[in-house]
Coordinates of all heavy atoms in Angstrom, one line a residue:
M1 N -18.1 -290.2 -146.2 CA -17.1 -291.3 -146.4 C -17.9 -292.6 -146.5 O -18.7 -292.9 -145.7 CB -16.2 -291.2 -145.3 CG -15.3 -292.3 -145.1 SD -14.0 -292.2 -143.8 CE -15.0 -291.7 -142.4
T2 N -17.5 -293.4 -147.5 CA -18.2 -294.6 -147.7 C -17.3 -295.7 -146.9 O -16.0 -295.5 -146.7 CB -18.3 -295.1 -149.1 OG1 -16.9 -295.1 -149.6 CG2 -19.1 -294.0 -149.9
P3 N -18.0 -296.8 -146.4 CA -17.1 -297.9 -145.8 C -15.9 -298.3 -146.6 O -14.9 -298.6 -146.0 CB -18.1 -299.0 -145.4 CG -19.4 -298.3 -145.6 CD -19.3 -297.1 -146.5
A4 N -16.1 -298.3 -147.9 CA -14.9 -298.9 -148.7 C -13.8 -297.8 -148.8 O -12.6 -298.2 -149.1 CB -15.4 -299.1 -150.2
Q5 N -14.1 -296.6 -148.6 CA -13.1 -295.5 -148.7 C -12.1 -295.6 -147.5 O -10.9 -295.4 -147.7 CB -13.7 -294.2 -148.8 CG -12.7 -293.1 -148.9 CD -13.5 -291.8 -149.0 OE1 -14.7 -291.5 -148.8 NE2 -12.7 -290.6 -149.3
G6 N -12.6 -295.7 -146.3 CA -11.7 -295.8 -145.1 C -11.2 -294.5 -144.7 O -11.4 -293.4 -145.4
Y7 N -10.3 -294.5 -143.7 CA -9.6 -293.2 -143.4 C -8.3 -293.6 -142.6 O -8.1 -294.7 -142.2 CB -10.5 -292.3 -142.5 CG -11.0 -293.0 -141.2 CD1 -10.3 -292.7 -139.9 CD2 -12.1 -293.8 -141.1 CE1 -10.7 -293.4 -138.9 CE2 -12.5 -294.3 -140.0 CZ -11.9 -294.2 -138.8 OH -12.3 -294.7 -137.7
A8 N -7.4 -292.6 -142.5 CA -6.2 -292.8 -141.7 C -6.3 -292.1 -140.4 O -6.8 -291.1 -140.2 CB -5.0 -292.3 -142.6
V9 N -5.6 -292.7 -139.4 CA -5.5 -292.1 -138.0 C -4.0 -292.0 -137.8 O -3.2 -293.0 -137.8 CB -6.1 -292.9 -137.0 CG1 -6.0 -292.3 -135.6 CG2 -7.7 -293.1 -137.3
T10 N -3.4 -290.8 -137.3 CA -2.2 -290.6 -137.0 C -2.2 -290.2 -135.5 O -3.1 -289.4 -135.1 CB -1.4 -289.5 -137.7 OG1 -2.1 -288.2 -137.6 CG2 -1.3 -289.9 -139.2
L11 N -1.3 -290.6 -134.7 CA -1.2 -290.3 -133.2 C 0.2 -290.0 -132.9 O 1.1 -290.8 -133.2 CB -1.6 -291.7 -132.5 CG -1.4 -291.6 -131.0 CD1 -2.3 -290.8 -130.3 CD2 -1.6 -293.1 -130.5
G12 N 0.3 -288.8 -132.3 CA 1.6 -288.5 -131.9 C 1.8 -286.9 -131.8 O 0.8 -286.3 -131.5
E13 N 3.1 -286.5 -131.8 CA 3.3 -285.2 -131.3 C 3.4 -284.2 -132.6 O 3.9 -284.7 -133.6 CB 4.5 -285.0 -130.6 CG 5.8 -285.5 -131.3 CD 7.0 -285.5 -130.4 OE1 6.9 -285.2 -129.2 OE2 8.1 -285.6 -130.8
T14 N 3.1 -283.0 -132.4 CA 3.3 -281.9 -133.4 C 3.9 -280.8 -132.6 O 3.5 -280.4 -131.5 CB 2.0 -281.6 -134.1 OG1 1.5 -282.5 -134.9 CG2 2.4 -280.4 -135.1
M15 N 4.9 -280.3 -133.2 CA 5.7 -279.2 -132.4 C 5.6 -277.9 -133.1 O 5.5 -277.8 -134.3 CB 7.1 -279.6 -132.3 CG 7.4 -281.0 -131.5 SD 8.9 -281.8 -132.0 CE 8.4 -282.5 -133.6
G16 N 5.8 -276.8 -132.4 CA 6.0 -275.6 -133.0 C 7.5 -275.5 -133.5 O 8.5 -275.9 -132.8
L17 N 7.8 -275.1 -134.7 CA 9.1 -275.0 -135.3 C 9.5 -273.5 -135.6 O 8.7 -272.8 -136.2 CB 9.1 -275.7 -136.6 CG 8.8 -277.2 -136.7 CD1 8.7 -277.8 -138.0 CD2 9.8 -278.0 -135.8
L18 N 10.6 -273.1 -135.1 CA 11.1 -271.8 -135.4 C 12.3 -271.9 -136.4 O 13.2 -272.8 -136.3 CB 11.7 -271.2 -134.1 CG 10.8 -270.9 -132.9 CD1 11.5 -270.4 -131.7 CD2 9.8 -269.8 -133.4
A19 N 12.2 -271.1 -137.4 CA 13.1 -271.0 -138.5 C 13.7 -269.6 -138.7 O 12.8 -268.8 -138.8 CB 12.4 -271.5 -139.7
A20 N 14.9 -269.5 -138.7 CA 15.5 -268.1 -139.0 C 15.2 -267.7 -140.4 O 15.1 -268.4 -141.4 CB 17.0 -268.3 -138.8
T21 N 14.8 -266.5 -140.4 CA 14.4 -265.9 -141.8 C 15.7 -265.3 -142.5 O 15.7 -264.9 -143.7 CB 13.4 -264.8 -141.6 OG1 13.9 -263.7 -140.8 CG2 12.1 -265.4 -141.1
D22 N 16.8 -265.2 -141.8 CA 18.1 -264.8 -142.3 C 19.1 -265.8 -142.1 O 18.9 -266.7 -141.4 CB 18.6 -263.5 -141.5 CG 17.6 -262.3 -141.6 OD1 16.9 -262.0 -142.7 OD2 17.4 -261.7 -140.5
T23 N 20.2 -265.7 -142.8 CA 21.3 -266.6 -142.6 C 22.3 -266.0 -141.7 O 22.4 -264.9 -141.5 CB 22.1 -267.0 -143.9 OG1 22.5 -265.6 -144.5 CG2 21.1 -267.7 -144.9
G24 N 22.9 -267.0 -141.0 CA 23.9 -266.5 -139.9 C 23.8 -267.3 -138.6 O 23.0 -268.3 -138.5
Y25 N 24.5 -266.9 -137.7 CA 24.5 -267.6 -136.3 C 23.3 -267.1 -135.6 O 22.9 -265.9 -135.6 CB 25.8 -267.4 -135.6 CG 27.0 -267.9 -136.3 CD1 27.9 -267.1 -137.0 CD2 27.3 -269.3 -136.2 CE1 29.0 -267.7 -137.6 CE2 28.3 -269.8 -136.8 CZ 29.2 -269.0 -137.5 OH 30.2 -269.7 -138.1
L26 N 22.7 -268.0 -134.8 CA 21.6 -267.7 -134.0 C 21.7 -266.5 -133.3 O 20.7 -265.7 -133.2 CB 21.2 -269.0 -133.1 CG 19.8 -268.8 -132.5 CD1 18.7 -268.7 -133.4 CD2 19.6 -270.2 -131.6
P27 N 22.7 -266.2 -132.5 CA 22.7 -265.0 -131.7 C 22.6 -263.7 -132.5 O 22.3 -262.7 -132.0 CB 24.2 -264.9 -131.0 CG 24.6 -266.4 -131.1 CD 24.0 -267.0 -132.2
H28 N 22.8 -263.8 -133.9 CA 22.8 -262.6 -134.7 C 21.5 -262.5 -135.5 O 21.3 -261.6 -136.3 CB 24.0 -262.6 -135.6 CG 25.3 -262.6 -134.9 ND1 25.8 -261.4 -134.1 CD2 26.2 -263.6 -134.6 CE1 26.8 -261.8 -133.5 NE2 27.1 -263.1 -133.9
I29 N 20.6 -263.5 -135.4 CA 19.3 -263.5 -136.1 C 18.3 -262.6 -135.4 O 18.2 -262.8 -134.2 CB 18.8 -265.0 -136.3 CG1 19.8 -265.9 -136.9 CG2 17.5 -265.0 -137.0 CD1 20.0 -265.5 -138.5
S30 N 17.7 -261.7 -136.1 CA 16.7 -260.9 -135.6 C 15.3 -261.2 -135.8 O 14.4 -260.8 -135.1 CB 17.0 -259.4 -136.0 OG 16.9 -259.3 -137.4
H31 N 15.0 -262.2 -136.8 CA 13.7 -262.6 -137.0 C 13.5 -264.1 -137.3 O 14.5 -264.6 -137.8 CB 13.2 -261.9 -138.3 CG 13.0 -260.3 -138.2 ND1 14.1 -259.5 -138.5 CD2 12.1 -259.5 -137.6 CE1 13.7 -258.3 -138.2 NE2 12.5 -258.3 -137.8
M32 N 12.5 -264.7 -136.8 CA 12.2 -266.0 -136.9 C 10.7 -266.2 -137.4 O 9.9 -265.5 -137.0 CB 12.5 -266.8 -135.6 CG 13.9 -266.5 -135.1 SD 14.9 -267.7 -134.4 CE 14.6 -269.3 -134.9
A33 N 10.5 -267.3 -138.1 CA 9.2 -267.6 -138.5 C 8.7 -268.9 -137.8 O 9.5 -269.8 -137.4 CB 9.2 -268.0 -140.1
L34 N 7.4 -268.9 -137.4 CA 6.9 -269.9 -136.7 C 6.0 -270.9 -137.4 O 5.2 -270.4 -138.3 CB 6.0 -269.4 -135.5 CG 5.2 -270.4 -134.6 CD1 6.3 -271.3 -133.9 CD2 4.3 -269.7 -133.7
G35 N 6.3 -272.1 -137.4 CA 5.4 -273.1 -138.2 C 5.2 -274.2 -137.4 O 5.4 -274.2 -136.2
I36 N 4.8 -275.4 -137.9 CA 4.4 -276.6 -137.2 C 5.1 -277.7 -137.8 O 5.3 -277.6 -139.2 CB 2.9 -276.9 -136.8 CG1 2.2 -277.2 -138.1 CG2 2.4 -275.7 -136.1 CD1 0.8 -277.8 -138.0
G37 N 5.4 -278.8 -137.2 CA 5.9 -280.0 -137.8 C 6.0 -281.2 -136.9 O 5.8 -280.9 -135.7
G38 N 6.2 -282.3 -137.4 CA 6.3 -283.6 -136.6 C 5.9 -284.8 -137.6 O 5.1 -284.5 -138.5
A39 N 6.5 -285.8 -137.4 CA 6.2 -287.0 -138.4 C 4.7 -287.2 -138.6 O 4.4 -287.3 -139.7 CB 7.0 -288.2 -137.9
E40 N 4.0 -287.4 -137.5 CA 2.6 -287.7 -137.6 C 1.8 -286.7 -138.2 O 0.9 -287.0 -139.1 CB 2.1 -288.0 -136.2 CG 2.8 -289.2 -135.5 CD 4.1 -289.0 -134.9 OE1 4.5 -287.8 -134.8 OE2 4.7 -289.8 -134.5
S41 N 2.0 -285.4 -138.0 CA 1.2 -284.3 -138.6 C 1.7 -284.2 -140.1 O 0.9 -283.9 -140.9 CB 1.4 -283.0 -137.8 OG 2.7 -282.7 -137.7
N42 N 3.0 -284.5 -140.3 CA 3.4 -284.3 -141.7 C 2.8 -285.4 -142.6 O 2.3 -285.2 -143.7 CB 5.0 -284.4 -141.8 CG 5.7 -283.3 -141.2 OD1 5.0 -282.2 -140.9 ND2 6.9 -283.4 -141.0
V43 N 2.7 -286.6 -142.1 CA 2.0 -287.7 -142.8 C 0.5 -287.4 -142.9 O 0.0 -287.6 -143.9 CB 2.2 -289.1 -142.0 CG1 1.3 -290.2 -142.7 CG2 3.6 -289.5 -142.2
A44 N -0.1 -286.8 -141.9 CA -1.5 -286.5 -141.9 C -1.8 -285.5 -143.1 O -2.7 -285.6 -143.9 CB -2.1 -286.0 -140.6
V45 N -1.0 -284.5 -143.2 CA -1.1 -283.5 -144.2 C -0.9 -284.0 -145.6 O -1.7 -283.8 -146.4 CB -0.1 -282.2 -143.9 CG1 -0.1 -281.3 -145.1 CG2 -0.5 -281.4 -142.7
A46 N 0.0 -284.8 -145.7 CA 0.3 -285.5 -147.1 C -0.9 -286.2 -147.4 O -1.4 -286.2 -148.7 CB 1.6 -286.3 -147.0
L47 N -1.4 -287.1 -146.6 CA -2.6 -288.0 -146.9 C -3.8 -287.1 -147.1 O -4.5 -287.5 -148.1 CB -2.9 -289.0 -145.6 CG -1.8 -290.0 -145.6 CD1 -2.2 -290.9 -144.2 CD2 -1.8 -291.0 -146.7
A48 N -4.0 -286.1 -146.4 CA -5.1 -285.2 -146.7 C -5.1 -284.6 -148.0 O -6.1 -284.5 -148.8 CB -5.3 -284.2 -145.5
R49 N -3.9 -284.1 -148.4 CA -3.6 -283.5 -149.7 C -3.9 -284.5 -150.8 O -4.2 -284.0 -151.9 CB -2.3 -282.9 -149.8 CG -2.2 -281.7 -148.9 CD -0.9 -281.0 -149.0 NE -0.6 -279.8 -148.1 CZ 0.4 -279.1 -148.1 NH1 1.5 -279.4 -148.6 NH2 0.4 -278.0 -147.3
L50 N -3.6 -285.8 -150.6 CA -4.0 -286.9 -151.6 C -5.4 -287.3 -151.5 O -5.8 -288.1 -152.4 CB -3.1 -288.0 -151.4 CG -1.5 -287.7 -151.6 CD1 -0.7 -289.0 -151.0 CD2 -1.3 -287.6 -152.9
G51 N -6.1 -286.6 -150.8 CA -7.5 -287.0 -150.7 C -8.1 -288.1 -149.7 O -9.2 -288.5 -149.7
T52 N -7.3 -288.4 -148.8 CA -7.6 -289.5 -147.8 C -8.1 -288.8 -146.6 O -7.4 -287.8 -146.0 CB -6.3 -290.3 -147.4 OG1 -5.7 -291.0 -148.5 CG2 -6.7 -291.4 -146.4
P53 N -9.3 -289.2 -146.0 CA -9.7 -288.7 -144.9 C -8.8 -289.1 -143.7 O -8.4 -290.1 -143.6 CB -11.1 -289.3 -144.7 CG -11.5 -289.8 -146.0 CD -10.2 -290.2 -146.7
V54 N -8.5 -288.1 -142.9 CA -7.4 -288.3 -141.8 C -7.9 -287.6 -140.6 O -8.5 -286.6 -140.5 CB -6.2 -287.5 -142.2 CG1 -5.1 -287.9 -141.2 CG2 -5.6 -288.0 -143.6
V55 N -7.6 -288.4 -139.5 CA -7.8 -288.0 -138.1 C -6.5 -287.9 -137.5 O -5.6 -288.8 -137.5 CB -8.6 -289.0 -137.3 CG1 -8.7 -288.6 -135.9 CG2 -10.0 -289.2 -137.9
W56 N -6.1 -286.8 -136.8 CA -4.8 -286.6 -136.1 C -5.3 -286.5 -134.6 O -6.1 -285.7 -134.4 CB -4.1 -285.3 -136.5 CG -2.8 -285.1 -135.7 CD1 -1.6 -285.5 -136.0 CD2 -2.7 -284.3 -134.5 NE1 -0.7 -285.2 -135.0 CE2 -1.4 -284.4 -134.0 CE3 -3.7 -283.7 -133.6 CZ2 -0.9 -283.8 -132.9 CZ3 -3.3 -283.1 -132.4 CH2 -1.9 -283.2 -132.0
T57 N -4.7 -287.3 -133.8 CA -4.9 -287.2 -132.3 C -3.7 -287.1 -131.5 O -2.7 -287.6 -132.0 CB -5.8 -288.4 -131.9 OG1 -6.1 -288.2 -130.6 CG2 -5.0 -289.7 -132.0
G58 N -3.7 -286.2 -130.6 CA -2.5 -286.1 -129.7 C -2.8 -285.2 -128.6 O -4.0 -284.8 -128.3
R59 N -1.8 -284.7 -127.8 CA -1.9 -283.8 -126.6 C -1.2 -282.5 -126.9 O 0.0 -282.7 -127.5 CB -1.4 -284.5 -125.4 CG -1.3 -283.6 -124.2 CD -0.8 -284.4 -123.0 NE -2.0 -284.7 -122.3 CZ -2.1 -285.6 -121.4 NH1 -1.0 -286.3 -121.2 NH2 -3.1 -285.9 -120.9
L60 N -1.8 -281.5 -126.7 CA -1.2 -280.1 -127.1 C -1.2 -279.3 -125.8 O -2.1 -279.4 -124.9 CB -1.9 -279.4 -128.2 CG -1.9 -280.2 -129.4 CD1 -3.0 -279.4 -130.4 CD2 -0.6 -280.1 -130.0
G61 N -0.2 -278.4 -125.7 CA -0.4 -277.3 -124.6 C -1.5 -276.4 -124.8 O -2.0 -276.3 -125.9
A62 N -2.1 -276.0 -123.7 CA -3.2 -275.0 -123.7 C -2.6 -273.7 -123.9 O -2.8 -272.8 -123.0 CB -4.0 -275.3 -122.5
D63 N -2.0 -273.5 -125.0 CA -1.3 -272.2 -125.3 C -1.5 -271.8 -126.7 O -2.1 -272.6 -127.5 CB 0.1 -272.2 -124.9 CG 0.9 -273.3 -125.5 OD1 0.4 -273.9 -126.5 OD2 2.1 -273.6 -125.1
S64 N -0.9 -270.6 -127.2 CA -1.0 -270.2 -128.6 C -0.3 -271.1 -129.6 O -0.7 -271.3 -130.7 CB -0.6 -268.8 -128.7 OG 0.9 -268.6 -128.3
V65 N 0.7 -271.8 -129.2 CA 1.4 -272.7 -130.1 C 0.3 -274.0 -130.4 O 0.2 -274.4 -131.5 CB 2.7 -273.3 -129.6 CG1 3.2 -274.4 -130.5 CG2 3.7 -272.1 -129.5
G66 N -0.2 -274.5 -129.3 CA -1.3 -275.4 -129.4 C -2.4 -275.1 -130.3 O -2.9 -275.8 -131.1
D67 N -2.8 -273.7 -130.1 CA -3.9 -273.2 -130.9 C -3.5 -273.2 -132.4 O -4.2 -273.5 -133.3 CB -4.1 -271.8 -130.5 CG -4.8 -271.6 -129.1 OD1 -5.3 -272.7 -128.6 OD2 -4.8 -270.4 -128.6
R68 N -2.2 -272.9 -132.7 CA -1.8 -272.8 -134.1 C -1.6 -274.2 -134.7 O -2.0 -274.5 -135.9 CB -0.4 -272.2 -134.1 CG 0.1 -272.0 -135.5 CD 1.3 -271.3 -135.6 NE 1.7 -271.0 -137.0 CZ 2.0 -269.8 -137.5 NH1 1.9 -268.8 -136.8 NH2 2.3 -269.7 -138.8
V69 N -1.3 -275.2 -133.9 CA -1.3 -276.5 -134.4 C -2.7 -277.0 -134.8 O -2.8 -277.5 -136.0 CB -0.6 -277.6 -133.2 CG1 -0.9 -279.0 -133.8 CG2 0.7 -277.3 -133.1
V70 N -3.6 -276.8 -134.0 CA -5.0 -277.1 -134.3 C -5.5 -276.4 -135.5 O -6.0 -277.0 -136.5 CB -5.9 -276.8 -133.0 CG1 -7.4 -276.9 -133.5 CG2 -5.6 -277.7 -132.0
R71 N -5.2 -275.0 -135.6 CA -5.7 -274.2 -136.8 C -5.0 -274.7 -138.1 O -5.8 -274.8 -139.1 CB -5.3 -272.7 -136.5 CG -5.8 -271.8 -137.7 CD -5.4 -270.4 -137.3 NE -4.0 -270.3 -137.1 CZ -3.2 -270.0 -138.1 NH1 -3.5 -269.9 -139.4 NH2 -1.9 -269.8 -137.7
E72 N -3.8 -275.0 -138.1 CA -3.1 -275.3 -139.3 C -3.5 -276.8 -139.8 O -3.7 -277.0 -140.9 CB -1.6 -275.3 -139.2 CG -1.1 -273.8 -139.1 CD 0.4 -273.6 -139.4 OE1 0.9 -274.5 -140.1 OE2 0.9 -272.6 -138.9
L73 N -3.7 -277.7 -138.8 CA -4.0 -279.1 -139.2 C -5.6 -279.0 -139.7 O -5.8 -279.6 -140.7 CB -3.9 -280.0 -138.1 CG -2.5 -280.3 -137.7 CD1 -2.5 -281.3 -136.4 CD2 -1.7 -280.9 -138.8
R74 N -6.4 -278.3 -139.0 CA -7.9 -278.2 -139.4 C -7.9 -277.5 -140.9 O -8.7 -277.8 -141.7 CB -8.7 -277.5 -138.5 CG -9.0 -278.4 -137.3 CD -10.0 -277.8 -136.4 NE -10.3 -278.6 -135.2 CZ -10.7 -278.3 -134.0 NH1 -10.7 -277.1 -133.7 NH2 -10.9 -279.2 -133.2
G75 N -6.9 -276.5 -141.1 CA -7.0 -275.9 -142.4 C -6.6 -276.7 -143.5 O -6.8 -276.5 -144.6
E76 N -5.9 -278.0 -143.3 CA -5.5 -278.9 -144.1 C -6.8 -279.9 -144.4 O -6.5 -280.9 -145.1 CB -4.2 -279.6 -143.7 CG -2.9 -278.7 -143.8 CD -2.5 -278.4 -145.3 OE1 -2.9 -279.2 -146.2 OE2 -1.6 -277.6 -145.5
G77 N -7.7 -279.7 -143.7 CA -8.9 -280.6 -143.8 C -8.9 -281.9 -142.9 O -9.5 -282.9 -143.1
I78 N -7.9 -281.8 -141.9 CA -7.7 -282.9 -141.0 C -8.7 -282.7 -139.7 O -8.9 -281.7 -139.3 CB -6.2 -282.9 -140.4 CG1 -5.5 -283.1 -141.7 CG2 -6.0 -284.0 -139.5 CD1 -3.8 -282.8 -141.4
D79 N -9.2 -284.0 -139.4 CA -10.1 -284.0 -138.2 C -9.1 -284.0 -136.9 O -8.5 -285.1 -136.8 CB -11.0 -285.2 -138.4 CG -12.0 -285.4 -137.1 OD1 -11.9 -284.6 -136.2 OD2 -12.8 -286.4 -137.0
V80 N -9.1 -283.1 -136.2 CA -8.2 -283.0 -135.1 C -8.9 -283.4 -133.8 O -9.9 -282.8 -133.5 CB -7.6 -281.6 -134.9 CG1 -6.7 -281.4 -133.7 CG2 -6.9 -281.1 -136.2
R81 N -8.4 -284.3 -133.1 CA -8.9 -284.7 -131.7 C -7.7 -284.6 -130.7 O -7.0 -285.5 -130.5 CB -9.3 -286.2 -132.0 CG -10.2 -286.6 -133.1 CD -11.6 -286.3 -132.8 NE -12.4 -286.6 -133.9 CZ -13.2 -287.8 -134.0 NH1 -13.2 -288.6 -133.1 NH2 -13.9 -287.9 -135.2
A82 N -7.7 -283.4 -130.2 CA -6.6 -283.1 -129.4 C -7.0 -282.9 -127.9 O -8.1 -282.2 -127.7 CB -5.8 -281.8 -129.9
T83 N -6.2 -283.3 -127.0 CA -6.4 -283.1 -125.6 C -5.6 -281.9 -125.3 O -4.3 -281.8 -125.7 CB -5.8 -284.3 -124.8 OG1 -6.7 -285.3 -125.0 CG2 -6.0 -283.9 -123.2
R84 N -6.1 -280.9 -124.7 CA -5.2 -279.6 -124.3 C -4.9 -279.7 -122.8 O -5.8 -280.0 -122.0 CB -6.2 -278.4 -124.5 CG -6.8 -278.2 -125.9 CD -5.6 -278.2 -127.1 NE -4.7 -277.1 -127.0 CZ -4.9 -275.9 -127.6 NH1 -6.0 -275.8 -128.4 NH2 -4.0 -274.9 -127.4
D85 N -3.6 -279.6 -122.7 CA -3.0 -279.8 -121.3 C -2.4 -278.6 -120.8 O -1.3 -278.2 -121.3 CB -1.8 -281.0 -121.5 CG -1.2 -281.4 -120.3 OD1 -1.5 -280.8 -119.1 OD2 -0.6 -282.4 -120.2
S86 N -3.0 -278.0 -119.8 CA -2.4 -276.7 -119.2 C -1.1 -277.1 -118.4 O -0.3 -276.1 -118.4 CB -3.4 -276.1 -118.3 OG -3.9 -277.0 -117.2
D87 N -0.8 -278.2 -118.0 CA 0.3 -278.6 -117.4 C 1.6 -278.5 -118.4 O 2.7 -278.5 -118.0 CB 0.3 -279.9 -116.6 CG -0.6 -279.9 -115.3 OD1 -0.6 -278.7 -114.9 OD2 -1.1 -280.8 -114.9
A88 N 1.3 -278.7 -119.6 CA 2.3 -278.8 -120.7 C 2.7 -277.4 -121.2 O 3.6 -277.2 -121.9 CB 1.9 -279.7 -121.9
T89 N 2.0 -276.4 -120.7 CA 2.3 -275.0 -121.0 C 3.2 -274.4 -120.1 O 3.0 -274.3 -118.8 CB 1.0 -274.2 -121.1 OG1 0.0 -274.9 -122.0 CG2 1.1 -272.7 -121.5
P90 N 4.4 -273.8 -120.6 CA 5.3 -273.2 -119.6 C 4.6 -271.9 -119.0 O 3.8 -271.2 -119.7 CB 6.5 -272.7 -120.4 CG 6.0 -272.8 -121.9 CD 4.8 -273.8 -122.0
P91 N 5.1 -271.6 -117.7 CA 4.5 -270.4 -117.1 C 5.0 -269.2 -117.7 O 6.1 -269.2 -118.3 CB 5.0 -270.5 -115.6 CG 6.1 -271.5 -115.7 CD 5.9 -272.3 -116.9
P92 N 4.2 -268.1 -117.8 CA 4.7 -266.8 -118.5 C 5.9 -266.4 -117.6 O 6.1 -266.4 -116.5 CB 3.6 -265.8 -118.3 CG 2.6 -266.5 -117.3 CD 3.0 -267.9 -117.2
G93 N 6.8 -265.5 -118.4 CA 8.0 -264.8 -117.9 C 9.1 -265.6 -117.7 O 10.0 -265.8 -117.6

């Protein structure tokens, strides 16, 4: 990266998103797809796809959803600077 090129920094939350794979009322849905989303990460992805170097920073749970957020953002070429918070992870069961 040259000094004239610069980079973008986004700061905020990214969430795990559940989407029904069938139509109908939620109590009758048997399958859901897991993705990620949030304004800051959506902007980071869009900028990265346009060729802008991007840093995303935020706090994530120390769980598999947090792992997925990191993996998907890094897969888009984004420099992820995340704090992993075990207190933000719900207990099992």
Side-chain angles (χ1 to χ4, degrees):
M1 173 174 47
T2 64
Q5 183 180 7
Y7 60 94
V9 176
T10 63
L11 169 66
E13 64 183 5
T14 296
M15 301 157 277
L17 301 175
L18 293 174
T21 58
D22 302 317
T23 56
Y25 293 105
L26 187 58
H28 303 286
I29 300 295
S30 58
H31 296 93
M32 306 218 30
L34 175 64
I36 67 165
E40 296 80 9
S41 55
N42 293 347
V43 168
V45 168
L47 289 172
R49 289 180 180 178
L50 290 170
T52 302
V54 181
V55 176
W56 176 92
T57 185
R59 173 178 263 156
L60 298 168
D63 57 13
S64 56
V65 175
D67 295 342
R68 184 173 185 124
V69 169
V70 171
R71 180 180 57 87
E72 289 198 22
L73 293 179
R74 285 188 177 151
E76 293 285 348
I78 297 166
D79 180 0
V80 176
R81 310 279 178 100
T83 300
R84 303 303 295 268
D85 185 353
S86 59
D87 291 334
T89 303

